[in-house]
Amino acid sequence: AAPSVSPPATFAGGNVRIALVRQLSSGDYFEQWLSGAQAEAKVLNVRLEVSSGDGNNDKQALNLEQAVTAKSDAIIVDHGFAQTVQPAVKKAVTAKIPLVAFDVDPGSPEAVTLTQDDHQIAEQALGALKTDTGGSGEVLYVYVAGFAPLDRRNETWEQFKKDNPGIKQVAQIGVVNSSTASAVADQAKAALQANPGIKAIFAPYDEFAKGAALAVKELGLADKVKIYGADISTADIGVMTEPGSPWVATSATDPANVGRIAVRAAALLVAGENVDRALTIPPSLITQKGLRDAGITSVEQLTRAFPTLTTPDVARVPWAAS
Ligand code: SR1
């Protein structure tokens, strides 16, 4: 649709600067998220100044302080640990720089928080696990504490185990670094060899699920052990749909859409527009069978099959075409 109003004068010269301060940048999820954010920045004629802590929380905090010192017009904080991010967020609030916090608790009510519905992500994946296992069996769980989305998914997992006493977590593994999938593959191999009764793996991050899939395939267990994950990318769709793949279900948003929303919310704040303080993006359950039956091979095709993965009304910018 055509825009309903003209852009505010501040946006005319392309000089609005939005700092995107990331904790992590490698992996399919983070790459797609960035491409969405960059595409939206282009549409809105704003400069997106991107930094990454590359997994180093102190470096991310420093980058955040630098964005404050540089008087960015708005800041998006993408992931991070509360204790390292919150002191710098306070400085941004004091400097009256509008801030959007994605997947990290900013600790300041002035900031807009953006999340995927992580409880629903875990519920959808675990619903599939329960259906397939009949609600009983040994499960390998992949988790690293401290990442807000993983912590929320963990809350759902803890409740799920209480509600389903037939489900037994026999091992927990997990690592987040610049080669998460291969590190998780090594850990998963060891856990599967030590626990031959495992029939399901709950791996609620696509790098975890990819690593688990590698381990299951290498051990020749794909008929016996199924994987329930989170997130989606074109590469993930390839892994899920390849012949004999053990990755049977994932619950996901479209990461590029979430990146777009972050930039829209930041731009609205720069323009002094109202933005809901908490933006939560709902996921969809994507199954191996659904992908194969529909012949879906890319995220582009997926978003056409699941129109709810695109949410143009969340943080809609009235002066941008949609
Ligand atoms: C290390 S945290 C990884 C998660 O962040 C995003 O919320 C993605 O959904 C991913 O699973």
Side-chain angles (χ1 to χ4, degrees):
S4 51
V5 295
S6 312
T10 13
F11 286 79
N15 293 323
V16 169
R17 292 177 303 118
I18 298 178
L20 170 59
V21 182
R22 318 189 84 193
Q23 177 193 39
L24 303 161
S25 51
S26 59
D28 291 354
Y29 184 91
F30 295 102
E31 286 164 19
Q32 292 176 96
W33 198 100
L34 179 62
S35 71
Q38 287 172 325
E40 192 67 57
K42 206 168 174 191
V43 168
L44 296 175
N45 196 26
V46 300
R47 276 158 57 190
L48 192 65
E49 296 173 343
V50 186
S51 64
S52 174
D54 298 318
N56 179 330
N57 292 324
D58 294 333
K59 183 174 166 193
Q60 186 195 17
L62 203 63
N63 290 339
L64 187 46
E65 300 223 350
Q66 277 168 359
V68 176
T69 311
K71 295 187 176 20
S72 301
D73 294 300
I75 299 175
I76 301 167
V77 186
D78 171 13
H79 286 71
F81 282 13
Q83 63 271 28
T84 41
V85 154
Q86 288 184 357
V89 168
K90 272 206 184 78
K91 290 184 187 170
V93 171
T94 306
K96 298 205 178 336
I97 298 176
L99 195 135
V100 177
F102 171 56
D103 267 355
V104 60
D105 176 4
S108 294
E110 294 84 354
V112 166
T113 61
L114 170 63
T115 57
Q116 304 169 110
D117 189 335
D118 292 296
H119 291 120
Q120 213 187 336
I121 284 176
E123 275 161 24
Q124 289 185 347
L126 290 169
L129 182 153
K130 185 174 174 175
T131 303
D132 293 354
T133 59
S136 71
E138 294 186 5
V139 177
L140 169 61
Y141 178 42
V142 194
Y143 171 55
V144 175
F147 296 92
L150 304 186
D151 290 345
R152 283 189 289 271
R153 294 167 201 173
N154 182 60
E155 287 166 4
T156 300
W157 169 239
E158 290 302 328
Q159 188 57 46
F160 180 81
K161 284 187 288 178
K162 286 187 192 130
D163 295 343
N164 296 277
I167 297 284
K168 303 276 179 239
Q169 177 185 316
V170 293
Q172 181 181 314
I173 57 170
V175 58
V176 173
N177 60 25
S178 54
S179 47
T180 298
S182 59
V184 166
D186 291 341
Q187 293 180 337
K189 260 197 240 171
L192 288 163
Q193 281 167 328
N195 299 277
I198 289 173
K199 62 178 185 182
I201 302 178
F202 179 42
Y205 168 24
D206 63 345
E207 300 302 320
F208 291 168
K210 274 190 282 200
L214 206 61
V216 171
K217 281 186 288 184
E218 281 186 19
L219 294 174
L221 295 172
D223 285 343
K224 196 180 142 232
V225 182
K226 302 298 175 196
I227 298 163
Y228 303 83
D231 307 319
I232 200 71
S233 68
T234 294
D236 295 343
I237 292 171
V239 174
M240 285 181 74
T241 55
E242 70 189 8
S245 171
W247 187 358
V248 293
T250 193
S251 173
T253 67
D254 171 8
N257 179 54
V258 182
R260 281 184 172 272
I261 292 167
V263 172
R264 290 207 296 271
L268 286 168
L269 293 172
V270 172
E273 301 268 346
N274 274 335
V275 182
D276 289 346
R277 289 295 110 173
L279 304 171
T280 306
I281 312 308
S284 297
L285 179 67
I286 297 150
T287 63
Q288 180 184 70
K289 183 175 183 322
L291 291 170
R292 284 180 179 161
D293 287 353
I296 291 169
T297 58
S298 68
V299 168
E300 212 174 43
Q301 292 172 359
L302 184 74
T303 52
R304 265 185 251 128
F306 287 83
T308 51
L309 286 173
T310 309
T311 56
D313 287 331
V314 179
R316 183 184 280 283
V317 173
W319 64 87
S322 60

